């Protein structure tokens, strides 16, 4: 992705580094770290292109960062990047959901709920 700002670029690099750290080890992705990075990516204004989803961008960066490991573990890399893609999709869905009108508003504190 050539048209991203430095903040988005850093987050994409962090996600690809996470892939490289996980690739070929017995460790699994840290879900909290993935959630933080995907949320930061979304809040920074990252938008997926139809031609290249987030998983493809991260996979490409990971292959460049850890070429030897990624070359021999393509299936594992694909599974890791798809897991990150799913986490990003959940973030997109979560951030786009409007609060229900049925939920009702509640006062922030007792003084706003009463005349006190």
């Amino acid at each position: 992705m050539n048209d991203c700002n430095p903040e988005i670029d850093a987050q994409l690099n962090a996600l690809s580094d996470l892939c490289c750290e996980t690739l070929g080890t017995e460790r699994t992705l840290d879900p909290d770290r993935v959630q933080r990075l995907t949320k930061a990516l979304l809040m920074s204004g990252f938008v997926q292109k139809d031609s290249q989803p987030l998983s493809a961008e991260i996979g490409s960066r990971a292959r460049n960062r850890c070429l030897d490991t990624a070359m021999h573990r393509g299936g594992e890399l694909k599974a890791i990047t798809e897991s990150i893609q799913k986490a990003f999709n959940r973030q997109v869905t979560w951030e786009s959901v409007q609060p229900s009108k049925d939920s009702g508003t509640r006062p922030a504190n007792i003084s706003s709920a009463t005349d006190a």
Side-chain angles (χ1 to χ4, degrees):
M1 224 177 229
N2 299 331
D3 59 343
C4 62
N5 65 41
E7 186 175 347
I8 290 174
D9 193 50
Q11 291 155 352
L12 290 171
N13 287 337
L15 284 166
S16 64
D17 287 342
L18 184 59
C19 286
C20 288
E21 292 169 12
T22 308
L23 200 61
T25 66
E26 295 297 319
R27 295 185 302 178
T28 59
L29 286 173
D30 178 5
D32 293 332
R33 188 170 172 200
V34 171
Q35 182 181 5
R36 284 191 309 271
L37 287 168
T38 54
K39 184 172 184 173
L41 191 62
L42 181 63
M43 293 298 138
S44 297
F46 177 79
V47 177
Q48 297 184 100
K49 306 279 191 234
D50 289 335
S51 61
Q52 187 168 9
L54 175 62
S55 59
E57 176 66 24
I58 294 171
S60 174
R61 287 175 184 242
R63 279 188 290 282
N64 290 335
R65 290 184 173 295
C66 52
L67 180 63
D68 292 339
T69 308
M71 183 181 353
H72 299 291
R73 298 187 177 274
E76 185 180 356
L77 178 61
K78 184 169 175 58
I80 292 169
T81 58
E82 285 177 355
S83 176
I84 293 171
Q85 179 72 54
K86 287 178 185 175
F88 181 76
N89 291 345
R90 282 191 301 271
Q91 286 291 336
V92 169
T93 301
W94 175 258
E95 294 298 328
S96 67
V97 172
Q98 295 289 331
S100 170
K101 294 199 186 282
D102 298 336
S103 65
T105 57
R106 295 183 182 176
N109 56 41
I110 191 72
S111 63
S112 64
T114 62
D115 292 331

